[in-house]
Amino acid sequence: LDIDGYYLPTFDKIIPKQEEVVRSIRTWKARDDDVLVCAYPKSGTHWLWEVISMLLNGSANRINLIKETAMLEGLTQPMYDNIKSPRVLNSHIYFRMLPEDFVKRKCKIVHILRNPKDVAVSFYNHHFKILEYEYSGKWENYFRRFINGQVDYGSWFDYTLDWEKVIQDNSDYPIHIITYEDMKKDDTKEIKQLARFLGVKEDEELIKSIAEACDFERMKKEKNPLEMATSDEWRGKEPGMYRKGQVGDWKNWFTVAQNELFDTAYAERMKNSKFQFRSMVC
Ligand code: A3P
């Protein structure tokens, strides 16, 4: 779907008149206890959605739904209204496209950041493996598209800079930033901070159980059957939402020249950014 040059995946089987629906998201009503996970695709949305859902449930029991059932741009308004509270919503669209009511009610937002080099590799595999994309392009070509923002949800640079501005301009807004790399390094520490941000009890045992239940291999094993049953068709019949789950896989994909090109683009596009997150120096 192309909305004034902004690409979104097409969900026309679920959402007839998708463009109209996406444009209407701005007017959807929020609930005070809604939590929204916002990230550029492939930054760890499934992981954090599961963790936050468990924290709000006060239990490390597996969430029996896939996160796409709560992804704003993949829903119609009735579907959105029917989600039971407390809702853990998620989205990859810009802040300015989200329900205005969210901002009015100051609903909590968790924003995830991930090293864009790993995001690029993960997104390439995503496009390649979901059959509906009918994409069989080579990594070297996708890499160019990614740098130029000619991919779903547009440019990583634009999206990240936009969120930085949103955070600067709304200093009284409850936005918690978390990086994929910090989660990999010390998940219990990050989950504890999340619990504090969400205002739920910081129960050490529960936090430990959630970290274990959301460990990559366990999530992959336990969520894949759900992915298989309810979402896209995958190349090789193997769902790819849980692919590798590592920091630094880009080193297996980027050539030296691509890495230099990316670093140059990063330095140029992010030169005024004050975002100091570790993922950027990986
Ligand atoms: P890779 O393709 O690098 O493996 P999103 O959920 O935003 O679509 O992000 C998907 C990325 O997060 C994929 O990265 C996926 O494997 C990784 N991921 C999913 N669950 C994870 C988990 N429990 N722990 C670590 N990484 C996870």
Side-chain angles (χ1 to χ4, degrees):
L1 181 70
D2 180 346
I3 305 183
D4 307 331
Y6 180 61
Y7 300 163
L8 284 177
T10 308
F11 300 119
D12 49 8
K13 280 191 211 128
I14 314 168
I15 317 175
K17 299 198 185 145
Q18 190 185 349
E19 179 171 349
E20 227 171 86
V21 175
V22 169
R23 287 187 193 275
S24 78
I25 290 177
R26 196 79 186 123
T27 63
W28 293 3
K29 291 283 162 255
R31 300 177 198 154
D32 288 335
D33 59 353
D34 281 343
V35 175
L36 183 60
V37 183
C38 293
Y40 190 83
K42 313 322 286 176
S43 302
T45 327
H46 288 74
W47 190 9
L48 267 302
W49 185 79
E50 194 87 354
V51 166
I52 294 167
S53 302
M54 287 181 176
L55 277 172
L56 294 184
N57 287 348
S59 147
N61 288 342
R62 178 62 59 220
I63 307 297
N64 211 11
L65 292 169
I66 59 168
K67 76 113 187 134
E68 281 70 16
T69 55
M71 183 171 83
L72 296 188
E73 65 273 25
L75 303 174
T76 60
Q77 192 172 2
M79 288 161 83
Y80 166 84
D81 286 335
N82 276 336
I83 302 174
K84 275 197 275 163
S85 289
R87 297 191 295 192
V88 184
L89 304 162
N90 68 93
S91 179
H92 303 305
I93 59 179
Y94 281 98
F95 183 78
R96 60 178 175 272
M97 300 169 75
L98 296 172
E100 236 172 327
D101 203 26
F102 253 89
V103 185
K104 248 189 241 150
R105 289 174 193 265
K106 290 208 161 62
C107 298
K108 288 178 179 154
I109 293 183
V110 175
H111 181 58
I112 321 169
L113 292 163
R114 186 182 189 189
N115 183 342
K117 293 178 186 174
D118 280 334
V119 169
V121 168
S122 185
F123 216 3
Y124 169 68
N125 281 283
H126 178 99
H127 279 95
F128 191 79
K129 285 183 183 156
I130 295 178
L131 292 179
E132 200 168 338
Y133 277 116
E134 295 178 12
Y135 181 74
S136 49
K138 290 200 175 97
W139 157 246
E140 67 210 55
N141 296 327
Y142 183 85
F143 170 81
R144 255 178 270 258
R145 294 187 72 95
F146 185 85
I147 288 205
N148 295 329
Q150 294 161 326
V151 293
D152 276 352
Y153 297 101
S155 154
W156 179 92
F157 299 107
D158 289 344
Y159 179 87
T160 306
L161 288 168
D162 190 75
W163 270 96
E164 178 173 17
K165 187 158 171 16
V166 165
I167 292 163
Q168 276 168 359
D169 293 351
N170 299 273
S171 53
D172 59 338
Y173 195 93
I175 303 180
H176 179 75
I177 303 178
I178 190 160
T179 73
Y180 183 94
E181 290 73 17
D182 284 343
M183 268 296 278
K184 282 297 283 188
K185 194 170 163 220
D186 193 343
D187 48 3
T188 47
K189 179 177 159 212
E190 295 301 321
I191 297 173
K192 207 167 163 184
Q193 283 177 11
L194 266 175
R196 193 166 310 158
F197 172 71
L198 297 170
V200 300
K201 215 169 100 211
E202 289 168 53
D203 176 332
E204 298 277 346
E205 274 311 301
L206 176 65
I207 287 170
K208 212 172 127 230
S209 318
I210 292 178
E212 280 164 13
C214 295
D215 169 74
F216 178 73
E217 291 301 336
R218 255 191 77 187
M219 260 191 90
K220 178 175 180 169
K221 186 160 156 259
E222 293 170 19
K223 293 294 278 205
N224 263 356
L226 270 181
E227 293 282 346
M228 215 46 184
T230 47
S231 68
D232 313 278
E233 282 209 58
W234 297 88
R235 203 184 285 264
K237 302 262 172 241
E238 158 119 40
M241 278 305 177
Y242 303 90
R243 189 186 66 93
K244 212 159 176 185
Q246 289 174 6
V247 170
D249 186 39
W250 66 267
K251 289 173 190 154
N252 299 315
W253 292 77
F254 278 53
T255 62
V256 172
Q258 283 169 347
N259 194 33
E260 278 170 12
L261 220 116
F262 197 97
D263 285 345
T264 306
Y266 185 88
E268 169 57 24
R269 294 298 317 274
M270 303 300 280
K271 64 176 182 285
N272 295 322
S273 170
K274 294 196 175 56
F275 256 171
Q276 290 295 326
F277 43 92
R278 215 165 38 77
S279 54
M280 293 302 97
V281 292
C282 294

